[in-house]
Amino acid sequence: MTQDNAPLHATGPAPLPGYDGRGFTYVARPGRVVFGTGTLAQLPAEVDALGASRALILSTPQQRGQAEAVAQLLGARAVGIFDGAAMHTPVEVTQTALAVLGDIKADVLVAIGGGSTTGLGKALALRTDLPQVVLPTTYAGSEMTPILGETEGGVKRTQSSDRVLPEVVIYDVALTLGLPVAMSVTSGLNAIAHAVEALYAQNANPVVDLMALEAIGAISAALPVIVREPGNGQARSQALYGAWLCGICLGAVGMALHHKLCHTLGGSFGLPHAETHTVILPHALAYNAPAIPGVMARLARVLGPDPARALFTLAAEGGVPTSLAALGMPGDGLDRATALALANPYWNPRALEAAPLRALLARAQAGAPPMLEERA
């Protein structure tokens, strides 16, 4: 018998490039995906196929207009709109939405937007087990995962449950054409973070590895084009395709240091979600680099010889913040953030140590690029 993650051919010839012979477990997540341009028109048929007839439409306040357009498309199937979705899925917002849900007796949730709206839909599904249809307008990727992060009392807690996995996701490239450039860049790098961590997750496997590298390559190639030509449909399609794959990766394997730090900074310091992922990603990858040489070599094939620096440059050239200070992180909060990140131990390929973590956060706070010294 072979132990988990032990090479299957340790006594045979050296493995070929690519799959390294590790044992693994792979679990495919259920869900229906409709991808294309103009696919929003299929929403009524998808709701009907779920056997539902009373939809509550979810959005943020800023996307109320899109929610109203969805309601018009659904006609009599739409029985209400809740436009209070907020970052980090505050429990108090969920409680308010639950009251609306009960009043209108909805039998399906239709979420249009990014991670905030998807998170609210998941939080409601966790409590009601109602089916969800998600219409992503960003590259968040959370619509493909059974993961829910909720904030209460200044702390963000994450859980995984099949109850929160959406039943249907309709990707319509047309819904992303108006996504502002800065939000496109941070949302895209947020998605890339899911795929990067999937490559070195404790339960990584070769199926997810293939999707992760494809996703990282697709988004990293599309973002510079979107920066120059925001209405470029081909680049938008490629970015959305990559985001879909990134979401699958996050939903199939575990998380490590990067997501722990981002959940800490977002939930306890109120930092914006995608922007925080954008700032932390290069530094978290640099921290783990000594423990994952094989992953770094594969990332180099799609990002260039220094993957961590390439991700930092992608953000900088996209014109988005590269420092935590620019996101509102107080300088005197770094010690607390370090302590919170070390609380409730979790798996990471490199051991978590207070001093190197504090140095990582200090570099991210200042907006300095990831450095070799940080990886020593």
Side-chain angles (χ1 to χ4, degrees), residues 3-16:
Q3 291 184 339
D4 286 348
N5 294 325
L8 300 179
H9 41 44
T11 58
L16 297 171

Side-chain angles (χ1 to χ4, degrees), residues 44-67:
E46 294 295 333
V47 169
D48 291 345
L50 290 170
S53 60
R54 298 181 61 81
L56 173 63
I57 301 161
L58 308 173
S59 76
T60 61
Q62 296 80 10
Q63 292 181 291
R64 172 83 190 199
Q66 288 179 297

Side-chain angles (χ1 to χ4, degrees), residues 56 58 82 92-102 120 124:
L56 173 63
L58 308 173
F82 181 84
E92 60 267 25
V93 172
T94 301
Q95 296 297 334
T96 302
L98 272 173
V100 174
L101 192 61
L120 175 59
L124 293 172

Side-chain angles (χ1 to χ4, degrees), residues 5 12 57 71 76 124-125 143 206 237 252 267 318 336 348 352:
N5 294 325
I57 301 161
L124 293 172
E143 65 277 355
S237 180
R336 179 173 174 238
N348 191 66
L352 301 179

Side-chain angles (χ1 to χ4, degrees), residues 51-57 76-81 97-109 128 130-131:
S53 60
R54 298 181 61 81
L56 173 63
I57 301 161
R77 301 175 188 84
V79 295
I81 294 175
L98 272 173
V100 174
L101 192 61
D103 288 343
I104 65 175
K105 296 180 171 54
D107 59 7
V108 64
L109 303 163
T128 65
L130 287 179

Side-chain angles (χ1 to χ4, degrees), residues 183-194:
M183 195 177 298
S184 299
V185 174
T186 57
S187 181
L189 283 162
N190 178 18
I192 286 176
H194 305 331

Side-chain angles (χ1 to χ4, degrees), residues 29-35 39 42-43 45-50 132-136 143-144 165-171 244 248:
R29 298 286 180 185
R32 176 173 168 82
V33 171
V34 180
F35 190 102
T39 48
Q42 299 182 40
L43 175 61
E46 294 295 333
V47 169
D48 291 345
L50 290 170
Q132 304 170 73
V133 181
V134 182
L135 311 169
E143 65 277 355
M144 294 305 301
L165 185 69
E167 280 72 14
V168 180
V169 180
I170 300 177
Y171 289 102
W244 165 57
I248 296 175

